[in-house]
Amino acid sequence: MNKLFKQILQLSITLITANLLISCTVLLKSRNKPKQPEVKKEATALPIVSPALKDAVNDLQDLKIKSEGEYGIKLREYEDKLKEIVPVAEIAHGDEEALAAMKSAVEGHKLALEFWQCDHLTGYDNLHQCRDKALQGIFNKYPEIKEQALAIAQEEGSSYTSAELDQQSLLEAIWSQANGDTAIAHQIIYPPLDIINTAAEEK
């Protein structure tokens, strides 16, 4: 009986020792195992918007609404509005994407105004020489407008590209591009309410 007890005791000690060794081995492995980098959840950051950037985008948004409206916008009003916007846009800073979209919109409107202001000139040649010169800047910025305009002009074979283009249609094509940029900038500086709430909760 004592012999059997000793055998059982010895077996128990052996099993306990084996379990301890296994536990120590697992512990050592877990300590030596390199830690996996924690996946950090990116915080939702609201865009940085300077007062000038916000003012410029708001003014561009007004211009967008008027140019797309039923009654459109008059040349004099367009000139006055851009005189207000351009100086503000030049000192604006903040979110890079919003800033780039805003500046692109302003550039588009300036090109449209340059073309439109040729109406102040008298004489057929003076008018279309001025418009053709303005078209170069428009074509450089908007290749898709260039492609369509040149296709129309080549069909007619006029010495002036602008002579074969409908002024209002061209202006609306430029405004469509500029207003698209304005919409991008406006969406960035005025994010949806759920994004604002998420950013507030993460603070």
Side-chain angles (χ1 to χ4, degrees):
M1 185 72 177
N2 289 337
K3 187 177 180 180
L4 180 60
F5 178 79
K6 285 181 180 180
Q7 288 177 343
I8 293 172
L9 182 60
Q10 189 175 5
L11 180 60
S12 299
I13 293 171
T14 303
L15 290 172
I16 291 170
T17 304
N19 286 334
L20 286 172
L21 287 171
I22 291 171
S23 299
C24 289
T25 303
V26 172
L27 183 60
L28 285 171
K29 284 184 178 179
S30 65
R31 286 182 176 178
N32 293 332
K33 186 178 180 181
K35 291 184 178 180
Q36 295 295 327
E38 294 182 3
V39 178
K40 293 184 178 180
K41 184 180 179 182
E42 291 187 5
T44 304
L46 294 177
I48 298 172
V49 181
S50 68
L53 176 56
K54 188 173 183 179
D55 289 343
V57 172
N58 287 340
D59 286 341
L60 285 168
Q61 183 69 10
D62 290 341
L63 205 54
K64 176 179 181 293
I65 293 170
K66 288 182 179 180
S67 64
E68 293 176 344
E70 181 180 356
Y71 301 104
I73 187 169
K74 303 298 183 184
L75 175 56
R76 180 60 183 273
E77 184 183 6
Y78 194 54
E79 289 173 328
D80 291 343
K81 196 67 178 175
L82 281 178
K83 283 180 182 178
E84 295 175 5
I85 295 173
V86 171
V88 178
E90 289 175 349
I91 62 171
H93 63 275
D95 183 271
E96 290 184 2
E97 189 177 354
L99 191 64
M102 179 275 290
K103 287 185 175 181
S104 181
V106 171
E107 183 184 356
H109 282 297
K110 287 169 68 177
L111 290 169
L113 179 60
E114 182 183 353
F115 182 86
W116 202 356
Q117 283 179 323
C118 294
D119 285 4
H120 292 313
L121 300 176
T122 56
Y124 181 86
D125 287 331
N126 289 336
L127 172 66
H128 289 295
Q129 284 173 4
C130 177
R131 285 183 174 180
D132 275 13
K133 183 179 178 182
L135 280 176
Q136 297 308 309
I138 296 168
F139 289 168
N140 288 338
K141 182 167 177 60
Y142 303 118
E144 60 275 22
I145 293 179
K146 176 182 179 179
E147 184 179 352
Q148 296 173 10
L150 291 181
I152 294 171
Q154 286 172 0
E155 286 181 4
E156 302 298 331
S158 172
S159 56
Y160 294 113
T161 301
S162 58
E164 306 304 331
L165 303 179
D166 179 71
Q167 182 195 57
Q168 187 61 29
S169 296
L170 178 66
L171 290 174
E172 288 176 358
I174 300 170
W175 290 339
S176 176
Q177 298 286 342
N179 290 342
D181 289 328
T182 298
I184 292 172
H186 191 270
Q187 187 174 20
I188 293 171
I189 69 171
Y190 293 105
L193 188 59
D194 57 338
I195 294 179
I196 296 174
N197 291 338
T198 301
E201 290 170 1
E202 290 174 350
K203 288 184 178 179

